[in-house]
Amino acid sequence: MRAQTLLRIWRWPLALAALIAAGLAAALLGNDAIWRSLSWAALAVPLIIIVIALSRGGFGRAR
């Protein structure tokens, strides 16, 4: 039961961290327009998720 709780807590932060790392790697390693577009998209998604979460009442809202 504890492992399930840890996975539930860390699922989204780990997914966002992987997306950010992929976006940074694309920005550093790619020189073409497609890599720049991918890096912009990968780095914009976490910001969009933050804005959506804050507009819904914040991160600490009880369910």
Side-chain angles (χ1 to χ4, degrees):
M1 188 84 130
R2 180 171 166 81
Q4 214 172 25
T5 304
L6 286 176
L7 179 63
R8 186 179 225 183
I9 292 171
W10 289 101
R11 179 178 29 198
W12 283 106
L14 289 173
L16 290 176
L19 185 63
I20 291 169
L24 291 174
L28 288 172
L29 301 175
N31 289 330
D32 298 331
I34 188 73
W35 289 105
R36 289 184 182 150
S37 300
L38 286 174
S39 68
W40 272 93
L43 295 173
V45 168
L47 295 176
I48 294 168
I49 291 173
I50 289 170
V51 168
I52 291 170
L54 289 175
S55 69
R56 288 185 177 177
F59 292 104
R61 186 179 71 191
R63 292 184 181 191

